[in-house]
Amino acid sequence: MHNVAGRYQSRQFVMKTKDRILQTSLLLFNEEGEPNVTTVDIANEMEISPGNLYYHFRGKEVIIEELYERFDREMAEILAAPIQKSISVHDSWFYLYVVFEHIYHYRFLYFNLTDIIQRYEKIQRRFKRLLKSKVATARSMNNEMIRLGVLRFSSEAEAEALVNQVVLTVLYWMSFNVLSERWSKNPELLMHDGVFQVMSLIAPHLTEEKKEFFNECKDLYQDLIKKAQIKNA
């Protein structure tokens, strides 16, 4: 019985150590940039030996692939939500915020996306599938808003152009903010800013009855900026 208990406790410890390695790696990748972090850096941050880390993950590539697996699985659930159940125009701000929040949590993937997918073939294949899912979700939401009389387009090509613009903004928003350093000290405002930029793309296509919604979004966004400026003053 003692040996069984010992093995059970050992398995618990192994899982905890693996999770700690992943959490520490994610933190360092996000803060320092993935190319600038080695497995030795991760081990030092955790105050464990490189050999101990290697026992759980045989190289940085395996760690990155495991982190991407978690990111991909969680993002797939988020993207499926508006396809499985219609989201109202007023809920769209909060939905987009959740999308940006998840991207921010794994932002190292987006800081140097091209570099990562070139170096990690497995991630490249999966990210291409994820991109198709993002387009499918944006198109589904677009079509639903057209059906509800929220959006109006002059042609299918114009509607599809908006889908691509939205996905492009979501995809490269983090990289843009790294370069511009607009909200580097305020992650919450950074995510709201991303949502507002997407809403700004949608605004010209709102029907007359729904244009007031964008004004509400603009007022909300400006209020958030004012609060952030007061807080940081």
Side-chain angles (χ1 to χ4, degrees):
M1 180 66 71
H2 180 269
N3 288 339
V4 172
R7 287 198 298 271
Y8 175 71
Q9 291 172 353
S10 177
R11 284 197 297 272
Q12 282 190 314
F13 179 76
V14 168
M15 290 303 293
K16 288 179 180 178
T17 302
K18 287 189 72 171
D19 286 340
R20 283 180 57 226
I21 291 171
L22 290 171
Q23 289 171 2
T24 303
S25 299
L26 180 59
L27 175 66
L28 290 177
F29 292 160
N30 282 339
E31 296 300 321
E32 306 295 334
E34 176 269 328
N36 303 318
V37 178
T38 67
T39 52
V40 174
D41 294 327
I42 298 167
N44 288 340
E45 181 71 18
M46 295 181 63
E47 298 183 348
I48 63 174
S49 69
N52 192 354
L53 186 146
Y54 187 77
Y55 172 78
H56 298 285
F57 294 100
R58 302 204 168 184
K60 191 169 80 167
E61 180 178 354
V62 185
I63 294 174
I64 292 172
E65 288 175 357
E66 177 66 26
L67 286 172
Y68 184 82
E69 168 65 29
R70 295 186 175 196
F71 161 79
D72 189 65
R73 183 172 62 249
E74 294 162 8
M75 180 61 86
E77 293 177 3
I78 295 170
L79 293 176
I83 295 177
Q84 295 170 351
K85 184 179 180 181
S86 176
I87 291 179
S88 72
V89 63
H90 288 88
D91 287 338
S92 57
W93 182 288
F94 303 104
Y95 173 73
L96 286 168
Y97 185 89
V98 170
V99 172
F100 278 105
E101 185 177 45
H102 188 61
I103 289 173
Y104 183 80
H105 187 60
Y106 291 91
R107 58 193 177 277
F108 81 92
L109 291 168
Y110 287 81
F111 285 164
N112 31 270
L113 177 59
T114 303
D115 178 53
I116 284 181
I117 63 176
Q118 285 178 343
R119 287 188 288 118
Y120 302 104
E121 187 177 345
K122 289 182 181 178
I123 291 178
Q124 180 180 145
R125 291 196 299 269
R126 297 191 64 174
F127 205 96
K128 285 181 178 180
R129 289 198 295 270
L130 180 63
L131 180 60
K132 289 180 180 179
S133 295
K134 287 180 179 178
V135 172
T137 297
R139 187 180 294 122
S140 175
M141 293 180 70
N142 219 28
N143 290 340
E144 182 65 7
M145 294 301 176
I146 293 171
R147 187 187 70 80
L148 294 172
V150 175
L151 297 178
R152 182 178 293 126
F153 299 92
S154 60
S155 65
E156 289 186 10
E158 187 179 45
E160 190 64 15
L162 177 62
V163 168
N164 290 329
Q165 288 166 2
V166 167
V167 173
L168 190 63
T169 300
V170 172
L171 189 62
Y172 289 106
W173 186 244
M174 287 298 163
S175 295
F176 173 77
N177 274 278
V178 168
L179 294 173
S180 65
E181 298 182 331
R182 296 181 69 196
W183 309 116
S184 58
K185 296 181 180 179
N186 193 322
E188 183 179 357
L189 196 52
L190 184 154
M191 289 178 277
H192 279 299
D193 192 32
V195 175
F196 181 71
Q197 300 309 318
V198 172
M199 289 300 187
S200 298
L201 292 172
I202 296 171
H205 305 286
L206 289 168
T207 56
E208 287 300 322
E209 299 80 8
K210 296 297 180 181
K211 287 191 182 298
E212 183 59 33
F213 171 68
F214 180 69
N215 292 331
E216 293 174 9
C217 291
K218 188 161 56 176
D219 290 342
L220 171 63
Y221 176 64
Q222 290 173 345
D223 185 52
L224 289 167
I225 290 179
K226 286 179 183 177
K227 288 180 179 178
Q229 289 173 337
I230 293 172
K231 186 177 180 180
N232 294 329

